[in-house]
Amino acid sequence: QLQLVESGGGLVQPGGSLRLSCALSGATLNYYSIGWFRQAPGREREGVSCLSSAGGSTNYADSVKGRFTTFKDNAKNTVYLQMYSLEFEDTAVYYCAASFGFLCNRLDADSTIWDYWGQGTQVTVSS
Protein backbone atom coordinates (compact mmCIF):
# COMPACT_ATOMS: atom_id res chain seq x y z
CA GLN A 1 0.00 0.00 0.00
CA LEU A 2 1.48 3.29 -1.12
CA GLN A 3 1.55 6.01 1.51
CA LEU A 4 2.60 9.63 1.48
CA VAL A 5 3.62 11.44 4.62
CA GLU A 6 4.18 15.19 4.64
CA SER A 7 6.26 16.98 7.23
CA GLY A 8 8.04 20.27 7.73
CA GLY A 9 5.15 22.62 8.19
CA GLY A 10 5.04 25.20 10.93
CA LEU A 11 4.81 28.84 11.87
CA VAL A 12 7.06 31.27 10.05
CA GLN A 13 7.30 35.03 9.72
CA PRO A 14 6.73 36.78 6.40
CA GLY A 15 9.86 36.57 4.31
CA GLY A 16 10.93 33.37 5.99
CA SER A 17 11.56 29.92 4.56
CA LEU A 18 10.33 26.39 5.09
CA ARG A 19 11.07 23.07 3.49
CA LEU A 20 8.26 20.57 3.26
CA SER A 21 8.94 16.89 2.76
CA CYS A 22 6.77 14.24 1.17
CA ALA A 23 8.02 10.75 1.97
CA LEU A 24 6.75 7.92 -0.17
CA SER A 25 6.50 4.37 1.15
CA GLY A 26 5.26 1.20 -0.46
CA ALA A 27 6.41 2.18 -3.94
CA THR A 28 9.32 3.62 -5.82
CA LEU A 29 9.28 7.33 -6.43
CA ASN A 30 10.67 6.84 -9.91
CA TYR A 31 7.26 5.73 -11.18
CA TYR A 32 5.20 8.58 -9.74
CA SER A 33 4.78 12.23 -10.44
CA ILE A 34 4.35 14.25 -7.27
CA GLY A 35 2.18 17.28 -6.93
CA TRP A 36 2.00 19.76 -4.11
CA PHE A 37 -1.33 21.38 -3.32
CA ARG A 38 -2.63 23.71 -0.68
CA GLN A 39 -5.95 24.64 0.75
CA ALA A 40 -6.63 27.68 2.84
CA PRO A 41 -9.78 28.04 4.98
CA GLY A 42 -12.78 28.85 2.83
CA ARG A 43 -10.89 28.38 -0.41
CA GLU A 44 -10.65 25.62 -2.95
CA ARG A 45 -7.63 23.39 -3.15
CA GLU A 46 -5.08 24.77 -5.57
CA GLY A 47 -2.09 23.30 -7.28
CA VAL A 48 1.27 24.62 -6.14
CA SER A 49 3.80 22.55 -8.04
CA CYS A 50 4.27 19.35 -9.98
CA LEU A 51 7.37 17.23 -10.50
CA SER A 52 7.23 14.51 -13.11
CA SER A 53 8.26 10.95 -12.33
CA ALA A 54 11.39 11.24 -14.46
CA GLY A 55 12.21 14.55 -12.84
CA GLY A 56 12.43 16.27 -16.17
CA SER A 57 9.32 18.36 -15.93
CA THR A 58 8.21 20.81 -13.29
CA ASN A 59 5.34 23.21 -13.13
CA TYR A 60 4.53 25.94 -10.64
CA ALA A 61 1.60 28.13 -9.85
CA ASP A 62 2.16 31.72 -10.91
CA SER A 63 1.79 32.82 -7.29
CA VAL A 64 4.83 30.81 -6.20
CA LYS A 65 7.12 31.00 -9.22
CA GLY A 66 10.54 32.22 -8.25
CA ARG A 67 9.86 31.54 -4.56
CA PHE A 68 9.14 27.81 -4.37
CA THR A 69 11.16 24.92 -5.77
CA THR A 70 10.29 21.24 -5.85
CA PHE A 71 12.89 18.52 -6.14
CA LYS A 72 13.39 14.93 -5.12
CA ASP A 73 15.89 12.63 -3.54
CA ASN A 74 15.40 9.18 -5.05
CA ALA A 75 17.66 7.56 -2.48
CA LYS A 76 15.33 8.79 0.27
CA ASN A 77 12.18 8.28 -1.80
CA THR A 78 11.22 11.81 -0.84
CA VAL A 79 10.06 14.91 -2.66
CA TYR A 80 10.61 18.35 -1.22
CA LEU A 81 8.97 21.72 -1.56
CA GLN A 82 11.43 24.44 -0.67
CA MET A 83 9.61 27.67 0.06
CA TYR A 84 11.33 31.05 0.25
CA SER A 85 10.02 34.58 0.79
CA LEU A 86 6.85 33.30 2.38
CA GLU A 87 3.84 35.59 2.37
CA PHE A 88 0.68 35.75 4.43
CA GLU A 89 -1.19 34.36 1.45
CA ASP A 90 0.86 31.17 1.56
CA THR A 91 -0.87 30.14 4.78
CA ALA A 92 -2.66 26.86 4.12
CA VAL A 93 -2.62 23.13 4.66
CA TYR A 94 -0.17 21.69 2.17
CA TYR A 95 -0.69 18.27 0.66
CA CYS A 96 1.38 16.11 -1.60
CA ALA A 97 -0.14 13.65 -4.02
CA ALA A 98 1.19 10.92 -6.30
CA SER A 99 0.11 10.09 -9.81
CA PHE A 100 1.15 7.15 -11.95
CA GLY A 101 1.24 8.59 -15.41
CA PHE A 102 0.62 12.30 -15.12
CA LEU A 103 3.25 14.19 -17.07
CA CYS A 104 3.17 17.45 -15.07
CA ASN A 105 2.69 19.39 -18.27
CA ARG A 106 0.24 21.52 -16.32
CA LEU A 107 -1.00 22.04 -12.80
CA ASP A 108 -4.22 20.19 -12.17
CA ALA A 109 -5.87 19.56 -8.82
CA ASP A 110 -8.47 17.23 -10.34
CA SER A 111 -8.72 14.34 -7.88
CA THR A 112 -9.12 11.84 -10.72
CA ILE A 113 -5.53 12.48 -11.74
CA TRP A 114 -3.96 11.81 -8.36
CA ASP A 115 -3.91 8.27 -7.07
CA TYR A 116 -2.70 8.88 -3.53
CA TRP A 117 -2.75 11.80 -1.10
CA GLY A 118 -0.91 12.61 2.06
CA GLN A 119 -2.56 13.83 5.25
CA GLY A 120 -1.34 17.40 4.93
CA THR A 121 0.89 19.70 6.92
CA GLN A 122 -0.04 23.16 8.15
CA VAL A 123 1.96 26.18 7.07
CA THR A 124 1.18 29.43 8.84
CA VAL A 125 2.82 32.69 7.84
CA SER A 126 2.29 35.24 10.55
CA SER A 127 4.12 38.09 12.21
Side-chain angles (χ1 to χ4, degrees):
Q1 178 74 19
L2 189 152
Q3 289 188 323
L4 300 168
V5 178
E6 302 100 332
S7 61
L11 175 64
V12 62
Q13 292 185 339
S17 302
L18 278 176
R19 178 180 288 186
L20 305 184
S21 300
C22 174
L24 182 75
S25 63
T28 301
L29 189 57
N30 286 344
Y31 297 112
Y32 289 88
S33 295
I34 301 296
W36 283 97
F37 303 86
R38 64 186 182 186
Q39 188 164 21
R43 302 187 66 176
E44 292 187 356
R45 183 172 59 201
E46 64 171 335
V48 175
S49 68
C50 193
L51 176 64
S52 66
S53 57
S57 179
T58 56
N59 229 311
Y60 296 93
D62 288 342
S63 59
V64 307
K65 281 180 182 176
R67 300 190 298 121
F68 290 11
T69 301
T70 186
F71 59 97
K72 63 180 178 177
D73 184 336
N74 286 329
K76 294 183 178 181
N77 228 28
T78 298
V79 174
Y80 301 94
L81 182 67
Q82 178 67 55
M83 307 185 292
Y84 295 106
S85 302
L86 284 162
E87 304 169 353
F88 294 119
E89 293 74 19
D90 294 319
T91 295
V93 178
Y94 283 71
Y95 301 89
C96 63
S99 172
F100 185 86
F102 188 55
L103 299 178
C104 286
N105 52 338
R106 67 187 187 281
L107 283 181
D108 199 326
D110 186 341
S111 59
T112 62
I113 291 174
W114 302 97
D115 303 301
Y116 303 94
W117 290 84
Q119 82 289 350
T121 186
Q122 176 72 46
V123 172
T124 302
V125 183
S126 176
S127 55

